[in-house]
Amino acid sequence: MNLYEGWQYLKSAPLFGLLLTLLAYRIALAVNRRAGGKPLLHSVFVGVLLVVVFLLAAGVDYRTYMQGASVVYWLLGPATVAMAVPLYLNLARLKRAFAPLTATLLVGAVVGVVSAAGLGQLFGLPRELVLSLAPRSVTTPFAIGLAEQSGGVPEFATAFVLISGVFGAIVVKPLFDRLGLAHDWLLGFSTGLAAHGVGTARAFQLSERAGAIAGLAMGLNGVATAALLPVLLHWMGV
């Protein structure tokens, strides 16, 4: 078997996408740590760039990559559920802040959908792109399901979710520093609400308390958006 035949066999292997994803993330994690945790070099952002560049350079199509990378999608569910542990440890504080957190959740869910779908309509995007963009503030498993049910494209929804999450993870700390805000709960809830899983991972890097409340916001926003999305899209005439 020559080098070309070996490469063709490797890229068609079922777990090729999984291996590439894990390797890219491991490299991205090392880069982020070497850079002192700088937001612009967030491990998810760098990892995505590495995967995209490699796929383009190697001529590997998306479907071939996803044959193995789909395993990562499956792991998103258990990872989300595992966030219940730090939430349980902060349960007493959550009960005391029930009213303001609920109000913030509802406003955030509505603004997330209306702003995304509204801007899509404003710029004349095709309907399927608008429907794929609408759930961009929720975590990937929710966004995929909501996009499929509403008539959007799951792959586009995934991309929009990723972009939103990476952007939120990058700007959250500098923005809060500029505004003079240092409250862990405020930072965590707003990050999880707007930047879902990627933002939650960033919040955990800042503090365990911020990560716990970000996980709560991410989960609750998924449920709230699932309930509100059909109503809001109908109201907007999408």
Side-chain angles (χ1 to χ4, degrees), residues 95-190:
K95 290 179 178 179
R96 290 196 296 269
F98 176 78
L101 290 182
T102 301
T104 304
L105 170 68
L106 293 177
V107 172
V110 172
V111 170
V113 173
V114 172
S115 62
L119 287 174
Q121 288 180 303
L122 179 64
F123 288 103
L125 295 181
R127 183 174 182 272
E128 64 177 10
L129 282 183
V130 174
L131 294 173
S132 303
L133 184 60
R136 55 96 190 160
S137 290
V138 299
T139 192
T140 305
F142 279 100
I144 292 174
L146 292 174
E148 289 177 339
Q149 292 175 8
S150 63
V153 181
E155 289 79 7
F156 284 138
T158 301
F160 293 140
V161 166
L162 181 61
I163 293 170
S164 298
V166 170
F167 179 78
I170 290 174
V171 304
V172 58
K173 190 61 169 64
L175 179 61
F176 269 65
D177 289 343
R178 176 62 67 91
L179 294 174
L181 301 174
H183 196 287
D184 283 351
W185 280 56
L186 181 60
L187 184 150
F189 200 82
S190 58

Side-chain angles (χ1 to χ4, degrees), residues 61-85:
D61 62 85
Y62 176 77
R63 294 185 182 278
T64 299
Y65 164 72
M66 281 304 296
Q67 288 179 1
S70 59
V71 176
V72 179
Y73 269 170
W74 180 86
L75 290 173
L76 287 173
T80 302
V81 174
M83 291 179 182
V85 175

Side-chain angles (χ1 to χ4, degrees), residues 27-41:
I27 294 174
L29 197 62
V31 170
N32 182 259
R33 288 174 177 171
R34 188 70 178 269
K38 290 184 177 179
L40 287 176
L41 292 176

